[in-house]
Amino acid sequence: MANLVLIFSIFAILSAIQGILAVDYTVTNTAGGARFVRDIGAPYTLRTMNASTSFIWRTFQQTSPADRKATQKVSSFIDDMDGVAYTRGAEIHFSARYIQSYSGDVKREFTGVLYHEMAHVWQWFGNGQQVPGGLIEGIADYVRLKAGYAPSHWVGPGQGNRWDQGYDVTARFLDYCNSLRNGFVAELNKKMRNGYSNSYFVDLLGKTVDQLWRDYKAKYATA
C-alpha cells in the first residue's frame, strides 16, 4: 500500500455547555502505514481526536470558545520518519516506523501519544515569553496521565531529578501540585496564555516551585 493516502474528516459538534464550535479533523496516511491501517485506522483516529479535544477542554477548564485557541481544523499525518510524533501548530505528525515496530499494544500507545500531541494543539505557550520546555511537555503528559494512558515504562510518583525535567517526571509533579489545589494545572495553563513566570506557582500554591519540588520528593521518599 505504498503511497496510499487516506483522507477522512468529521465535524465535532460540542455540547451547549462547551459552546457551539465545530472542529474539523483530518487524517492523512502519507507513508502507506500498513500497521496503522490494520491495527488503528483513520476512523478510530478521528474519533479519538474528537474525544481528546473534549477531554482537554475539560481538563484545562476551557468551558467557552473565548477560553480556547481559535483553532477550527486539526490535521494528523502518518509519515515515514524517525522518532514518535511531533506537533507544529494544528498539525500532528506520527511516525509510521514507530507504529510498525512497536511491540506492545500499539492502539493504546497510539492513543496515549495522540492525547499528548492534542494537548500541544490546545495548550498555551506563554505568549512569546520563555517557558521551560520540560513544563510544556509535562503538561501534555499530564493530560495523557489523567486520560488513563500512562505507559508502564513511565517513572513512578516522586522520581526524577528536576521539576522541569519534562514528560512523565513533570507530569507526576504536576499531578501532585493539582492534588494540593484542584484545578491547578488548568489555572497554570490559563496564566500561560499571556506570559510565564515561575512565580505562578507561588500565586496558585503559596510556595516556590523549588519548595514544592522538595515537598514532593519528601512525600515519596523511601525509608
Side-chain angles (χ1 to χ4, degrees):
M1 286 192 277
N3 300 319
L4 176 65
V5 178
L6 300 175
I7 303 178
F8 300 82
S9 66
I10 61 173
F11 287 92
I13 307 302
L14 302 175
S15 64
I17 194 171
Q18 294 174 315
I20 299 174
L21 179 66
V23 180
D24 183 27
Y25 303 104
T26 69
V27 180
T28 306
N29 186 3
T30 63
R35 192 179 185 196
F36 169 77
V37 173
R38 183 182 70 245
D39 294 341
I40 301 167
Y44 175 80
T45 302
L46 293 166
R47 292 194 301 272
T48 306
M49 291 171 75
N50 182 25
S52 63
T53 289
S54 297
F55 180 83
I56 291 161
W57 287 351
R58 290 194 303 274
T59 301
F60 290 165
Q61 298 178 2
Q62 296 174 331
T63 57
S64 72
D67 298 327
R68 314 168 192 141
K69 293 180 181 177
T71 299
Q72 297 182 343
K73 180 179 180 180
V74 184
S75 301
S76 290
F77 299 87
I78 311 303
D79 293 336
D80 182 15
M81 67 181 199
D82 293 327
V84 178
Y86 71 90
T87 296
R88 180 178 295 130
E91 289 189 359
I92 300 172
H93 296 261
F94 293 91
S95 169
R97 299 178 195 176
Y98 181 74
I99 293 170
Q100 185 65 35
S101 63
Y102 191 76
S103 60
D105 184 342
V106 71
K107 193 171 189 177
R108 175 181 168 80
E109 171 67 4
F110 178 86
T111 303
V113 173
L114 183 55
Y115 268 77
H116 175 106
E117 299 301 332
M118 287 293 292
H120 284 325
V121 171
W122 296 111
Q123 71 185 130
W124 297 108
F125 295 103
N127 194 29
Q129 295 187 25
Q130 188 172 2
V131 182
L135 178 58
I136 295 295
E137 297 298 342
I139 290 174
D141 260 359
Y142 172 83
V143 167
R144 180 175 181 175
L145 173 67
K146 303 312 287 185
Y149 292 105
S152 60
H153 66 262
W154 273 19
V155 302
Q159 296 184 16
N161 299 316
R162 306 186 320 275
W163 75 268
D164 60 349
Q165 191 170 334
Y167 297 100
D168 51 346
V169 171
T170 301
R172 299 287 193 190
F173 172 63
L174 292 173
D175 195 33
Y176 163 77
C177 291
N178 205 77
S179 73
L180 301 177
R181 177 180 177 134
N182 188 33
F184 164 79
V185 173
E187 294 177 85
L188 178 63
N189 181 67
K190 182 178 180 180
K191 282 178 169 289
M192 289 169 62
R193 181 173 188 167
N194 298 313
Y196 178 75
S197 170
N198 283 354
S199 67
Y200 291 169
F201 287 83
V202 178
D203 296 342
L204 296 171
L205 295 175
K207 293 183 179 181
T208 68
V209 67
D210 292 328
Q211 182 59 59
L212 288 163
W213 176 253
R214 288 192 292 270
D215 294 347
Y216 169 66
K217 295 292 285 186
K219 177 178 179 180
Y220 290 100
T222 57

